[in-house]
Every structure is written in C-alpha cells, then in structure tokens.
Amino acid sequence: AGFIKSPLSQKRLTQDSVELYCEAIGNPIPEIQWWFEGNDPNETYAQLWDGARQDRVKINATYNLHSTSTISIANLTGDDSGMYECRASNDPDRNHLSKSPKVKWIRSQANVFVIERPEITAQVTESSGKLILSCNMSAPHPSITGHKWIHKEKVLEQDENAGAFTSYTIDGKREEHSGVYECVFEANPQIRGQVNISVAPQVTAYKKSEHGNEGDTGVLVCKNPSFPAVTTWTWSKSDHRPLENASGRYIIKSSGNKTELRILKLDIEQDTGDYVCNGTNAYGTDGAVVNLRVRSRLAALWPFLGIVAEVLVLVTIIFIYEKRRKPDEVPDDDDGGSAPLKSNATNHKDKNVRQRNAN
C-alpha cells in the first residue's frame, strides 16, 4: 500500500469544523483507518470511528480501484487539537487480534491546532440617513492582514488594514437593507463576525389580484423579503374571519419568508373578495391584501359566442341588403326605352334605301 494523497495540517477556531483527506493505492485495495493522539504527554494513539466524540466525528470511505477516506470533526474544542494519523494496510492479518501483520500499517500524519475563538462585538448605528455596521475584536490579533464585508456571498468592501476594528457604511434605512452581514478578519485562521440588521416583516402579495374559474383551485401567495424570517403566518378574509387548514376547503403552507393559501372548489358567491395575509416576527407584524375574482366556467365561452353573434348579424345584414336591391336591377317590360329606338333606327334605314331606289 502507498499514499496518493496525505492529510494536511490546519489551524482552526473553536466552534469551527475541520476536514482531513487521505487516499491510498495498493493490490489488493488497502483499508484506511484514522487514529488520534492529543497534546497531553501521557495520551497515546486511539482509533477514531464514525460517530465518535458525541457524534461530532464523521468518517466517509470508498474502496473502488483505490482507497479514499475523509474525516470531519464539527464544533471543534480545544481537546480536538493534536496529531491525526491516516493508516493504510492491505495485509490479510492487519486486524488479527493475535497475529502480527507481515506488512505493517503505513502512516501519514497531520496536526490540527484549535485556537480559542476571539470575541467579536457587532453593532449597528443609524446617523443622518445612514447605517454604520461595525465589528470590534476583543483582543488584537497579530496575524490580521485585512478585512472584508460580505452580504449574501457578495464582497461589499475590503481593505488591507491590520486593526482589530472594522466598519462598513450603508446609505438608506433599515427596512431597505435588512439581512445578515459578515465582517471577516483576514488571518490564519480566518476570523468571522456577524452583524444583523433586523426589522419587522414587510409582507407583500406575490400578485395583488388573482383570478380563478368556478370549481378549480385558487392559489394566493404572500412573501416577506426582509430579515428575520416570519415566525407566524395567518390568513383571513376581508371580514376578519380566520382561515384554517381544519376547515377542509383551505390549505395553508408556510415557510419562513413565504405563505400560500389554496382554496379548493372555488365558488363565485362564497370565495370572491379580498384576502389578508399577516406575518409576525420578534420585531412586529405586517400584512398584505390579495383580491380574488372567481369566474363562471362559461366565462371562457363568451368571446367565442360574441364572435358567432357578430358573424350572424353581419350575414343577416348582407342577406337583407341583397334582398332589397334585386328588384331595382330587374328590367321593366313596359318601359319603351331602347327597343323603340332600335325599331326607329331600322325604319329610317329602310326609308333611305327606298328613296335611293326611286331616283
């Protein structure tokens, strides 16, 4: 057996997590184990297993062509500092209780240093229409090389100052910029603080007006884009009558920042009207109104019926017009118009011919 990748030594803060990776190759495929030796001089190596240290230790291993194993430890404490050892062997007797393996376990080691997390005081102050976010570390840290401010995984500002204090200024009101902001002290290990801009809910309707057909299911949605999330959502009709899942016709599904009301088998008389959604968190309550219009199932036919009616009216008008104009165009047999003229012309011609013959 031989190592392809070995675990790397790392520095971490208390309450952080750490992950070590090990990869070995051999024929047959070797087994990988994890062992630990603490910093206490009297402490000896002890094997680690999945679920150890009150389920803070997780071990993942795969054996396909070669061996890979990852150990992760969550919520680190000072007692997690020490030497972590990845051992690999493919000797058939490697785990025998009495026989010594012919091929010894090969080992790869990594140190994990867990440093006490410094206390960070976070604060939000308002001044002249601006919000000032600040983070102050309880004690100076010798390895600080800069700062960052992060919101929703986006870096807002950064510098290369070495101080234990950093601040960030926002133009606007709390309601416009609520959320979680992180102040990051660039060091080894990296130190992070959190600044929360918290406000009462700012509930809005996904659509202020919804339409549904009689007999179908109506869906009304409200949301809250502000921080913190809503802890309690309620729905009521305009007459302040609360709507609950237990009623049978109403289904309410809510999460932290969204609530949905489903109305089964819509009824024109019973369900048309305004609905109010209310959201509550530790800072207050807010609501929004959604208007629901229920249409008859025949409503979709009205445009088609209107077109048919227009066509029928148009055909009727054309028919009446044609019927009235036909008698005017038929020639009258009693009218002595062109026929007598033609006859006179013929008579004159015959008369002229007769006169020429007489001469």
Side-chain angles (χ1 to χ4, degrees), residues 23-215:
E23 193 170 340
I25 192 169
N27 188 17
I29 297 173
E31 177 192 359
I32 291 179
Q33 295 179 358
W34 289 95
W35 293 67
F36 171 76
E37 183 183 43
N39 292 329
D40 190 335
N42 298 323
E43 192 170 351
T44 58
Y45 274 102
Q47 186 176 356
L48 295 172
W49 65 93
D50 190 59
R53 298 179 185 175
Q54 298 180 337
D55 207 31
R56 292 189 299 113
V57 174
K58 299 294 181 185
I59 297 177
N60 231 345
T62 59
Y63 298 95
N64 184 14
L65 300 180
H66 58 276
S67 308
T68 62
S69 183
T70 303
I71 183 171
S72 58
I73 307 167
N75 198 20
L76 291 169
T77 68
D79 294 335
D80 295 319
S81 291
M83 184 72 72
Y84 289 79
E85 193 171 83
C86 173
R87 297 183 181 182
S89 176
N90 57 4
D91 190 289
D93 298 326
R94 59 185 177 274
N95 292 317
H96 202 283
L97 297 178
S98 58
K99 291 183 180 180
S100 298
K102 298 175 183 178
V103 180
K104 293 183 179 181
W105 290 82
I106 59 172
R107 306 179 182 188
S108 182
Q109 298 174 333
N111 267 308
V112 173
F113 303 93
V114 182
I115 303 168
E116 190 68 27
R117 176 182 292 276
E119 184 179 348
I120 295 178
T121 304
Q123 191 174 1
V124 181
T125 57
E126 296 183 58
S127 177
S128 303
K130 296 182 178 181
L131 299 172
I132 302 172
L133 285 58
S134 63
C135 286
N136 190 21
M137 197 179 298
S138 56
H141 198 286
S143 63
I144 294 176
T145 58
H147 310 91
K148 284 181 183 177
W149 282 92
I150 299 175
H151 178 55
K152 294 181 179 179
E153 300 183 357
K154 179 182 177 182
V155 177
L156 305 174
E157 186 177 85
Q158 57 185 343
D159 60 49
E160 297 180 357
N161 300 329
F165 175 84
T166 180
S167 65
Y168 175 66
T169 302
I170 302 174
D171 290 327
K173 300 179 180 179
R174 281 178 175 265
E175 290 75 16
E176 299 169 351
H177 301 282
S178 66
V180 177
Y181 294 77
E182 280 189 305
C183 55
V184 180
F185 293 84
E186 296 290 3
N188 186 21
Q190 196 179 68
I191 304 167
R192 290 175 174 247
Q194 183 174 300
V195 183
N196 296 336
I197 301 179
S198 303
V199 297
Q202 300 174 66
V203 177
T204 59
Y206 185 72
K207 288 184 180 179
K208 293 183 179 181
S209 180
E210 290 283 0
H211 299 80
N213 293 324
E214 189 178 18

